[in-house]
């Protein structure tokens, strides 16, 4: 077993045991962050902790979110051999639900991870931002590419503390391309594509490509296969870090 495997195994064991302040401090030490003891971890506050929304983390989720953020600020955060499996381990316990084969690149940010639901083989590329206050669901094999932003709340113009929350759903095998923005109360249909730079304000039909500001339907998605399993919608070459089956999906 190599050094990275040993680190992952130790962290995975502590996650399964429960990410207490003690285990969080030890994980931070493994990640190369010094000066964090149990009391320091307990005093740590995330942006979420100061939000008016009553969707608080429990102690374990707060500590897991701290670790997610910290790994991006360490050399291990750009070492995919460590960082991708690390994020998979964390996501299983941090998100409301997370399937197998989740791949997240560096710089992905979110709030209220306990309001994020993820299917199998979901992938996020670098710099995505998910505002999960109103809830976000991502179906199997859905894909967010670089710097995608998803928002699930809006503010009153007269009182910034008055907010409205509406969830976003990304269907299975849907793809959202670079720097696109999804606004609250939007459902992206199965197999749909959102073009680069689009701002989506309304629902997107299945297997439809939309683009522009605001996004509008442009054409049907190009796909000649017999079923969606032939889309080969994996983030990395050789399906690395993800799970697959040669059986046809229903």
């Amino acid at each position: 077993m190599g050094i990275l495997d040993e680190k992952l195994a130790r962290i995975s064991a502590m996650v399964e045991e429960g990410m207490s302040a003690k285990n969080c401090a030890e994980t931070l030490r493994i990640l190369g962050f010094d000066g964090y003891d149990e009391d320091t971890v307990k005093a740590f506050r995330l942006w979420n902790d100061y939000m008016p929304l009553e969707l608080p983390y429990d102690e374990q989720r707060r500590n897991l979110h701290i670790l997610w953020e910290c790994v991006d600020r360490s050399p291990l955060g750009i070492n995919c051999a460590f960082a991708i499996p690390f994020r998979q381990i964390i996501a299983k316990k941090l998100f409301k639900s997370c399937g197998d084969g989740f791949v997240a690149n560096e710089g992905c940010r979110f709030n209220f991870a306990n309001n994020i639901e993820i299917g199998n083989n979901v992938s996020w590329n670098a710099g995505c931002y998910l505002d999960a206050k109103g809830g976000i669901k991502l179906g199997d094999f859905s894909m967010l590419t670089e710097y995608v932003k998803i928002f699930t709340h809006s503010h009153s113009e007269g009182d910034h503390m008055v907010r409205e929350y509406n969830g976003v759903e990304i269907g299975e095998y849907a793809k959202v391309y670079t720097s696109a923005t999804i606004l609250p109360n939007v459902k992206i249909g199965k197999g749909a594509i959102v073009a680069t730079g689009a701002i989506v304000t309304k629902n997107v039909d299945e297997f439809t490509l939309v683009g522009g500001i605001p996004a509008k339907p442009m054409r049907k998605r190009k796909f000649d296969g017999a079923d969606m399993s032939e889309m080969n919608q994996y983030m990395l070459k050789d399906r690395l870090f993800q799970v697959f089956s040669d059986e046809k999906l229903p």
Side-chain angles (χ1 to χ4, degrees), residues 57-112:
Y57 279 160
D58 55 28
E59 179 187 8
Q60 175 171 260
R61 279 198 166 100
R62 177 181 288 105
N63 293 338
L64 290 168
H65 197 158
I66 290 168
L67 296 176
W68 178 290
E69 295 285 348
C70 285
V71 77
D72 271 358
R73 292 157 175 82
S74 75
L76 287 172
I78 57 174
N79 185 342
C80 289
F82 175 89
I84 292 176
F86 172 85
R87 294 184 186 110
Q88 290 176 338
I89 292 167
I90 298 297
K92 288 279 190 178
K93 299 290 186 180
L94 175 57
F95 298 160
K96 184 175 183 179
S97 61
C98 183
D100 295 327
F102 172 56
V103 167
N105 198 353
E106 62 180 306
C108 293
R109 300 283 182 265
F110 44 79
N111 53 39
F112 297 105

Side-chain angles (χ1 to χ4, degrees), residues 124-163:
W124 302 350
N125 213 328
C128 294
Y129 177 73
L130 288 80
D131 158 44
K133 297 182 184 75
I136 296 175
K137 296 180 180 180
L138 296 104
D140 295 348
F141 286 96
S142 58
M143 180 180 289
L144 309 179
T145 67
E146 296 89 338
Y147 308 110
V148 166
K149 298 178 181 65
I150 299 175
F151 294 98
T152 63
H153 82 285
S154 57
H155 296 266
S156 162
E157 294 184 9
D159 186 340
H160 196 71
M161 291 297 107
V162 176
R163 305 175 184 199

